[in-house]
Amino acid sequence: MEVTRQARAHVARLDLSTAQVAVLDGQAHAARALWNLLHEYVTFRQGRLATVKECDTAIRAARREIDWMGQLPAQAAQAVLKTYRQAWANFFDPGHPAKRPTFKARFRSRPAVDVPQARDLNITRLNRRWGAVNLPKVGRVRFRWTRDLPGVTRGGPAGRITGARLVKQADGWHIVFRTERQVPAPAAHPGERVGIDRGITVALALSDGTMREHGPWLRDGEKQRLRRLEKKSARQRRTRVPGRPASRRLARTYDRIARLRATAKRRAVDWQHQTTTELARTFGVVVVEDLTITNMVRSATGTIDNPGRNVRQKAGLNRAITGQAWGRTVTLLEYKTRDRGGLVVKVPAPGTSQTCHRCGHRDPAARDGTRFSCVNPACGWAGHADINAAINIRNAAGTAVSGRGDLGAARSAKRQPPRAA
């Protein structure tokens, strides 16, 4: 039986004391500073970039000469170098969308520390709800046990843990376990092909006539609290002296705002995981639009010489698109359908919402909000606009610009039409 390597990540919340939080915060700041020092050392040279050996020698010298560099474990420092070199490799890769590596700002970068070697973790399960893990220079720490980890629990899934990464979110520190398993190669998915139209009024509209919708991510009371905190932060910013650090009261207000927004994001990710899992189990081929979301959410402000129009309306639309996280939905669908022997196909986006799926007549006037009425007298089809677009997306699979997943003999298409399903 053919087997494949399946690499996944599992996130768990850490239960830290105040002293342990301070230690991890210091390690994260040291890791960010090391990244900036590496970037300065590599880019401020004449003629060529520094090699890995030169960077490693510089890191070892810095750890001997700079006291605060000792806060960061040696293996974590090497992980920073590895990540930095990979960032340059991604930038030079023509097929990778990564931008040129830059300096990391103190308040606009996510604090994180790598634990690259799994043997240092010594993971054990304490009870039904909690586990324990060793963290370098932090000690023994409890974490929330929500699922069995490969190779850790007796009778659990086979596999191993290859390392971990500590990440600070708005609600505290989390540990991300990197797991690896050998699983049988999936057979071809027997499900049908479906087109999915991603929208704002309707989150996901399917070509079979069904929809996947969700409610607001925050309850009414939480929305009111968030609004009060945003007004409070605006008042506190008015009394702030330019160039001076933010006051502790303003920092606390920012933390409360961040926790509420993190709550909304967790609920959104949970809904996306449940919905994409259900879709991956049901359908063999999932067809979506190839959207350039970064261009869609660009500001309409314009310039002084050429100011934009309907700037506030465009800003509201941008927030709505960003809140739906269309890109994350497709990312989740890609690996979940691949695990089940399915395929995700991306097709060109223009015209799918303005074309009648029955007769093929295209007219922008045919769509009015969520209502689509074909203006072709010989057709006259009327129905939900998003369902019509989803059917057009499904029918456009023959003109795909990319395909990711597994179908039949584990084929994958990229920038070329896939073979018929």
Side-chain angles (χ1 to χ4, degrees):
M1 178 184 297
E2 183 182 359
V3 297
T4 60
R5 185 179 68 88
Q6 185 184 84
R8 291 290 180 268
H10 172 60
V11 184
R13 178 170 55 87
L14 293 174
D15 182 27
L16 300 171
S17 64
T18 305
Q20 291 172 333
V21 170
V23 172
L24 279 183
D25 287 346
Q27 292 185 11
H29 287 308
R32 180 190 58 83
L34 176 59
W35 173 286
N36 291 338
L37 290 174
L38 276 172
H39 189 60
E40 182 178 5
Y41 178 73
V42 168
T43 56
F44 283 74
R45 296 169 62 91
Q46 297 180 354
R48 62 177 180 84
L49 298 177
T51 64
V52 176
K53 183 177 180 180
E54 292 172 341
C55 291
D56 180 67
T57 304
I59 290 176
R60 294 176 185 272
R63 289 178 59 85
R64 291 192 300 267
E65 299 171 2
I66 304 176
D67 293 337
W68 55 264
M69 286 286 291
Q71 299 180 34
L72 188 65
Q75 295 297 332
Q78 293 298 319
V80 173
L81 173 58
K82 181 180 179 181
T83 305
Y84 180 75
R85 299 297 299 186
Q86 185 61 45
W88 277 109
N90 295 340
F91 171 69
F92 287 122
D93 184 0
H96 202 284
K99 297 181 180 180
R100 183 185 179 91
T102 60
F103 292 102
K104 289 190 175 183
R106 180 181 179 89
F107 297 106
R108 278 180 286 190
S109 59
R110 180 175 297 174
V113 181
D114 260 303
V115 185
Q117 294 185 346
R119 65 168 184 248
D120 299 333
L121 298 174
N122 191 20
I123 304 170
T124 57
R125 185 170 187 176
L126 303 178
N127 51 47
R128 186 171 63 90
R129 294 181 178 272
W130 295 97
V133 60
N134 285 343
L135 300 181
K137 300 199 175 193
V138 178
R140 196 71 173 164
V141 177
R142 296 198 313 166
F143 66 91
R144 188 71 172 177
W145 191 284
T146 56
R147 68 173 62 180
D148 289 335
L149 296 172
V152 176
T153 54
R154 181 177 301 176
R160 65 192 183 100
I161 294 177
T162 60
R165 183 174 176 85
L166 309 174
V167 181
K168 189 175 185 179
Q169 305 284 0
D171 58 340
W173 281 91
H174 294 69
I175 183 169
V176 183
F177 294 105
R178 292 188 285 263
T179 65
E180 184 179 287
R181 298 176 57 194
Q182 297 290 334
V183 297
H189 198 293
E192 299 178 352
R193 181 168 63 186
V194 67
I196 298 180
D197 178 66
R198 293 163 285 174
I200 298 174
T201 305
V202 177
L204 299 176
L206 275 62
S207 58
D208 61 359
T210 62
M211 300 179 183
R212 304 296 187 272
E213 300 181 81
H214 58 77
W217 305 129
L218 292 177
R219 296 186 286 269
D220 292 338
E222 294 170 332
K223 290 180 181 178
Q224 295 175 7
R225 192 181 316 130
L226 178 60
R227 182 61 176 165
R228 288 196 301 268
L229 289 172
E230 289 175 340
K231 290 182 177 180
K232 184 178 180 180
S233 67
R235 291 194 302 269
Q236 292 172 334
R237 286 197 302 270
R238 284 198 294 266
T239 61
R240 179 183 176 185
V241 179
R244 297 289 298 277
S247 65
R248 293 185 179 180
R249 292 182 179 180
L250 179 56
R252 284 197 297 268
T253 304
Y254 283 155
D255 290 341
R256 293 170 183 172
I257 292 174
R259 282 195 291 270
L260 281 173
R261 290 177 177 171
T263 299
K265 181 179 179 180
R266 286 197 301 272
R267 292 170 182 170
V269 173
D270 180 68
W271 179 85
Q272 287 180 312
H273 270 291
Q274 295 186 39
T275 304
T276 53
T277 299
E278 181 258 328
L279 294 174
R281 289 173 177 171
T282 306
F283 301 103
V285 179
V286 179
V287 189
V288 297
E289 293 175 299
D290 185 32
L291 300 177
T292 308
I293 302 175
T294 54
N295 295 339
M296 297 176 64
V297 297
R298 283 181 177 174
S299 174
T301 304
T303 62
I304 296 178
D305 298 332
N306 187 20
R309 295 182 299 174
N310 300 324
V311 176
R312 293 178 63 87
Q313 293 85 340
K314 182 61 167 63
L317 176 62
N318 292 347
R319 285 193 297 269
I321 294 175
T322 305
Q324 292 294 336
W326 292 343
R328 185 168 60 215
T329 299
V330 174
T331 300
L332 297 178
L333 270 174
E334 284 177 343
Y335 84 81
K336 291 182 180 183
T337 53
R338 182 171 61 247
D339 290 348
R340 293 164 176 81
L343 179 70
V344 171
V345 178
K346 294 182 180 180
V347 300
T352 55
S353 62
Q354 301 174 356
T355 305
C356 177
H357 74 274
R358 178 173 293 180
C359 66
H361 181 75
R362 178 175 177 177
D363 192 337
R367 176 162 186 169
D368 183 15
T370 59
R371 183 71 178 173
F372 185 92
S373 300
C374 183
V375 297
N376 184 7
C379 176
W381 182 89
H384 200 285
D386 293 336
I387 298 296
N388 174 73
I391 297 176
N392 285 328
I393 293 171
R394 181 197 62 189
N395 296 339
T399 59
V401 296
S402 67
R404 300 189 66 178
D406 246 343
L407 189 63
R411 70 176 186 271
S412 176
K414 187 173 183 181
R415 298 294 172 190
Q416 61 182 2
R419 290 174 288 185

